[in-house]
Every structure is written in structure tokens, then in C-alpha cells.
Amino acid sequence: MTDGNGFLGGRLLVVAFAGWNDAGEAATGAVGILRDLLDVSSLFEVDPEVYFDYQFNRPTISTDDEGHRQLEWPGATLFGPAEPGVVGEPLADDAQLRVSGSNAGNIYLLLGTEPSRSWKGFTAEVLDAALAADIGGIVFLGAMLADVPHTRPISIFVSSENPEVRSELQIERSSYEGPVGILSVLSHAAELVGIPTLSIWASVPHYVHNAPSPKAMLALIDKLEEIIDVVIPRGDLVTEADEWQTGIDTLAADDEEMAAYINQLEQARDTVDSPEASGEAIAQEFEKYLRKRGDGRDGQAGRADGRPGPDGPRQP
């Protein structure tokens, strides 16, 4: 731990990658909001020619505010504050447009696209940059498609492989075994070099195909704000999350099969969340729910409580 003050005692790196770890663009959306609200600039970028297959992760083209056409290549960028540890006092007219709190000057960001090759080299390069920036802890944000209803609060699962972090923050250790994305590879390597980590995962309803998912993005920001001890302005995100849910409600109202399926998910979720539910009762209810569905799609859905299922998060 940094400076003897636990996980929050030093510089924190918040990480999200587009791709397998980012259902509904929730994780990258949350870190993107932080990038826009924090006074940070680029400290390090990987060479995309080394780590990306452009037929798999294609560059995108867009038009900027001045009418110029811009190409954006897949990559990964480390952002950091101009003056680490210094918390700027927001002016009255932008108080709702800046991240505030005693930890705000210690937040670094890593935002990018999951690499398509050379993961070991990518991991070594990223961790070298993190060590050079004197990062004291890393928070990984992820989102998975799961069998959860859009009408209930987004399920969030927080875990850590570090025993000190688990003790300090009263969180669990993940029991998942199976295929992983770049977040798990980076987390494993970070722990090996002495940087404590934790992961925050959101569950996104798998039947909602339109990205992004502002409700999942909002849930990640809520939990991140709680853990890293800052205040993050929500802007229009609350309204967008409400509109997202209302839009799905409208679609379900015209589709009896979809409405019935959502009702089943709601019943399973409510059983899990009920105060009298025991672990055995929850397991039995979920097994009954799966038998009723005859689920045999790919074995990769999350559980009814939003945690990763036996074969991990479903690929977005």
C-alpha cells in the first residue's frame, strides 16, 4: 500500500477498455466522462501498429467541429493530472462540471481498446508507464451481458485479488475461472509487481442490443465515486438512463414474449434480493428459473444476481 494509508493513500489509476470487457459501452463511457471532467492530459500512448489488427479493430472516421475529417486509430492512452495531488478549486460557474474531493488530484486514467495481439508486451508496456507515474492502486471497470432485468437497479460486483484491499474495503475475492479479457491480464500482472488492484463490474441486460447503456454507466460511476472518495458530476446521465429504461419499456409493451421474459428475470432478481433469501434458496430459485427457460444458448450468461456465471461474462 502507498504511504501506509491503504488503497486510497496514493495515486489511483482507473482503467477501461472497449471490446470484450465493455458491454453497453458502460466501462469506457464511465472513464470517458471522468476524462472530460478531470484536468488531465495524455502521458503515454501505446503504438497501435504493434498491438492492433485493423481488420478486427478498424479505425474510425469522423468530422470535427470545424468540418475537418479526422481518422481515429484504436489504441490505449494513459492520462494524468498536470499537477498530481493538487486539487483545483472549481469556480462557482463550473462547480457541477468538475470532479471534486480530496482525491481528485490523484486520479489517473487508462482508456483504450482491448488489443488484438501481443498481450504480454502490451501489459509490460502499460505497467512500466504506471510505475513511472508512481501509481499506487488500480481500479478496473468492466461490464458484461447477463440475464438481468433492465427494470431493476444495475447489479454491481466489486472484487479484489489483494487481501489488504479486501480487508480495507470489505469486498470479496472473485471465484471465477475461465476465459478472461485484458483487464484480468493487467490485474494479475499489476499484483505481481506490487500494485494493488480491484475490479468493478456492471451487469447489462443481454436482450438490450442498443449501445451505449447509460444506466449501467451511471451505476459504475456511483460505485466508483463511493470507492475512490470523490464527487463526480452526473450531468445529463440520470436523464439519459431514465430515457433508456423508458425506451425499453415501450418496446416490451409491444412484444408479449419479451415482456414475459423480463417478468421472469424480475422474479428471479427479486427472489435474490429478498431479505429472507438464503444462499441455498437463491441457488434453487435460479436453477428452477433456468429449467423453466430451457437455457442452452452458450453457458456464458451472468447469474440472476448479476455476478459472472460459471463460464464468465458473455462477450459483448
Side-chain angles (χ1 to χ4, degrees):
M1 297 300 174
T2 305
D3 300 329
N5 293 322
F7 190 73
L8 300 179
R11 301 177 184 181
L12 292 174
L13 176 62
V14 182
V15 178
F17 283 93
W20 198 77
N21 313 275
D22 192 33
E25 301 175 15
T28 53
V31 175
I33 288 174
L34 275 178
R35 178 193 57 195
D36 295 339
L37 295 175
L38 288 165
D39 184 16
V40 293
S41 58
S42 174
L43 301 180
F44 163 79
E45 296 182 31
V46 300
D47 181 356
E49 297 289 329
V50 177
Y51 301 114
F52 294 93
D53 178 347
Y54 297 140
Q55 291 187 350
F56 183 72
N57 298 117
R58 293 185 179 272
T60 58
I61 193 166
S62 59
T63 304
D64 64 19
D65 294 338
E66 298 173 354
H68 300 134
R69 300 287 275 171
Q70 302 284 345
L71 263 179
E72 184 175 351
W73 297 88
T77 303
L78 175 68
F79 299 91
E83 297 182 73
V86 176
V87 181
E89 291 295 329
L91 301 174
D93 58 355
D94 70 353
Q96 300 302 313
L97 305 175
R98 298 275 298 278
V99 175
S100 58
S102 59
N103 247 9
N106 288 320
I107 299 176
Y108 290 68
L109 308 172
L110 178 62
L111 183 62
T113 302
E114 184 176 63
S116 46
R117 56 173 174 253
S118 303
W119 281 23
K120 291 181 180 179
F122 180 89
T123 298
E125 197 169 341
V126 166
L127 287 182
D128 282 347
L131 290 168
D134 196 25
I135 297 299
I138 304 179
V139 179
F140 295 98
L141 300 187
M144 60 186 167
L145 296 176
D147 285 330
V148 293
H150 73 282
T151 53
R152 300 296 187 263
I154 294 292
S155 299
I156 295 291
F157 180 59
V158 184
S159 65
S160 176
E161 290 301 303
N162 189 286
E164 286 80 13
V165 173
R166 292 199 301 272
S167 176
E168 178 187 350
L169 301 181
Q170 296 299 297
I171 57 178
E172 300 179 32
R173 182 181 190 180
S174 174
S175 60
Y176 170 70
E177 296 179 344
V180 296
I182 193 63
L183 296 185
S184 295
V185 175
L186 283 169
S187 176
H188 181 73
E191 291 286 350
L192 290 178
V193 299
I195 304 177
T197 68
L198 68 81
S199 298
I200 306 174
W201 281 82
S203 296
V204 179
H206 74 86
Y207 56 85
V208 181
H209 300 294
N210 55 317
S213 174
K215 188 173 180 178
M217 200 181 305
L218 181 62
L220 282 173
I221 288 176
D222 287 346
K223 180 56 69 172
L224 182 65
E225 180 183 76
E226 173 189 331
I227 287 179
I228 68 175
D229 194 26
V230 296
V231 177
I232 305 172
R234 304 305 195 269
D236 297 328
L237 196 56
V238 174
T239 300
E240 292 170 1
D242 288 341
E243 292 173 348
W244 175 85
Q245 180 167 325
T246 300
I248 302 167
D249 288 341
T250 302
L251 290 174
D254 296 328
D255 187 330
E256 291 185 6
E257 185 176 346
M258 182 180 181
Y261 175 61
I262 292 172
N263 182 253
Q264 289 179 359
L265 293 177
E266 290 172 338
Q267 292 178 22
R269 174 64 183 272
D270 291 345
T271 298
V272 170
D273 289 344
S274 64
E276 65 275 9
S278 66
E280 183 177 354
I282 290 171
Q284 289 176 350
E285 180 64 26
F286 187 55
E287 288 172 2
K288 182 173 69 175
Y289 156 72
L290 289 180
R291 286 195 300 270
K292 195 178 296 183
R293 280 193 58 203
D295 193 310
R297 289 171 303 183
D298 58 11
Q300 290 187 324
R303 305 186 327 190
D305 59 0
R307 299 185 185 182
D311 292 309
R314 182 193 296 267
Q315 182 172 346

